[in-house]
Amino acid sequence: MPTRRQTRFVVITGSDTGVGKTVLTAWLTRQLRAAGVNAVALKPLCSGGRSDARALHSANGKTLSLDEVNPWHYPAALAPVLAARRVGQRVDLSEVLTLARAVAGRFDLVLLEGAGGLLSPLGEDFDNRDLIRELRATPVVVVPNRLGAVNQVRLVIEALPRRTQAEAQVVLSEVPGAGAAGRTNPKLLREWLPKLSITLLPWVAGGAMAEAEGDRRRVAAALKSLAGAL
Ligand SMILES: Nc1ncnc2c1ncn2[C@@H]1O[C@H](COP(=O)(O)OP(=O)(O)OP(=O)(O)O)[C@@H](O)[C@H]1O
Ligand SMILES: [Mg+2]
């Protein structure tokens, strides 16, 4: 009997909240699926609404239900651990790992969007870094490409589980008007982290919902090597 290749996990994290994790995850999932990869995206914990989960549910081609994409969701726009406590609930790492592993049985590649930045607390006993460590996931680190990005990338890479640092994929997300800093960040980063894999993600009006053919081509070109590295 042929042995099934082990499912790979990718955790999409970043330097902060609001940096473009959902936009990237949705685009990447669509691109991988269009290329024939049996990939799916999850957003295990949502706080302050479920719009991220809806965007990923749609990018998945609705292969999973919204509740499978996002089992834990809380109304308060706070760190998930606090938003859960507000409604008398708690989420533990083992529950999220159980979900991820159950989904993994049906897919070759599972992308999980974290919440907040790398060290934002997710539940009672874990943050995004713990998810990366426990799932042996490849970290994708999204950082807005503006003044200060070199520091932010270095901080996040430094804070990753040591074993995953070499395989981390950095995505510098274009920020309109970032000027000279945006143009020079990639080269400066390569001077300081020569082995780092960096993808420049274009700014596309409409974000994850952008449907224009030209926009799709620009995004696809930007994500090609990233998708190949996962
Ligand atoms: N490449 C991009 N092109 C156009 N808009 C973008 C891009 N990246 C992010 N945005 C916009 O920036 C905002 C934040 O992006 P997004 O929701 O993806 O961030 P996030 O890191 O997932 O945030 P959260 O921490 O809330 O999950 C959204 O309005 C999104 O449409
Ligand atoms: Mg998001």
Side-chain angles (χ1 to χ4, degrees):
M1 206 166 87
T3 50
R4 194 173 177 280
R5 269 189 67 194
Q6 213 183 352
T7 303
R8 287 160 294 148
F9 290 102
V10 173
V11 170
I12 289 85
T13 184
S15 53
D16 202 353
T17 183
V19 294
K21 297 184 300 294
T22 303
V23 167
L24 171 75
T25 309
W27 281 343
L28 191 55
T29 305
R30 284 183 203 277
Q31 175 139 341
L32 287 162
R33 293 181 63 80
V37 179
N38 186 20
V40 77
L42 308 178
K43 169 95 183 184
L45 300 112
C46 276
S47 48
R50 285 180 110 182
S51 59
D52 285 10
R54 287 196 190 89
L56 301 188
H57 178 239
S58 158
N60 289 340
K62 310 196 176 169
T63 45
L64 294 178
S65 71
L66 186 61
D67 285 341
E68 287 174 302
V69 171
N70 167 232
W72 295 276
H73 52 98
Y74 307 103
L78 292 168
V81 63
L82 291 182
R85 284 183 198 164
R86 283 228 169 156
V87 291
Q89 290 182 27
R90 47 178 294 144
V91 186
D92 298 318
L93 176 59
S94 62
E95 299 175 84
V96 178
L97 296 177
T98 300
L99 161 85
R101 289 176 181 141
V103 168
R106 295 149 63 188
F107 297 91
D108 296 325
L109 184 58
V110 178
L111 301 109
L112 294 99
E113 183 190 341
L118 178 70
L119 299 185
S120 298
L122 295 179
E124 296 297 328
D125 60 348
F126 71 106
D127 57 26
N128 297 268
R129 172 167 60 187
D130 296 311
L131 268 189
I132 294 169
R133 184 185 293 115
E134 293 302 316
L135 291 172
R136 300 178 173 274
T138 301
V140 173
V141 176
V142 186
V143 177
N145 187 19
R146 61 185 169 218
L147 191 61
V150 172
N151 169 59
Q152 293 189 334
V153 170
R154 294 183 69 208
L155 283 173
V156 177
I157 297 291
E158 194 65 36
L160 284 170
R162 208 144 290 277
R163 201 184 49 77
T164 68
Q165 286 174 348
E167 71 203 36
Q169 304 285 322
V170 167
V171 174
L172 286 177
S173 183
E174 191 181 336
V175 176
R183 290 192 295 276
T184 53
N185 280 334
K187 183 165 178 289
L188 187 54
L189 265 174
R190 286 192 181 103
E191 284 176 27
W192 284 80
L193 296 168
K195 293 185 183 147
L196 195 66
S197 156
I198 302 170
T199 298
L200 294 171
L201 192 66
W203 181 265
V204 173
M209 294 302 152
E211 292 294 347
E213 184 58 31
D215 289 343
R216 273 212 299 268
R217 271 204 298 273
R218 279 171 61 216
V219 169
L223 293 183
K224 204 170 160 201
S225 68
L226 174 60
L230 299 177

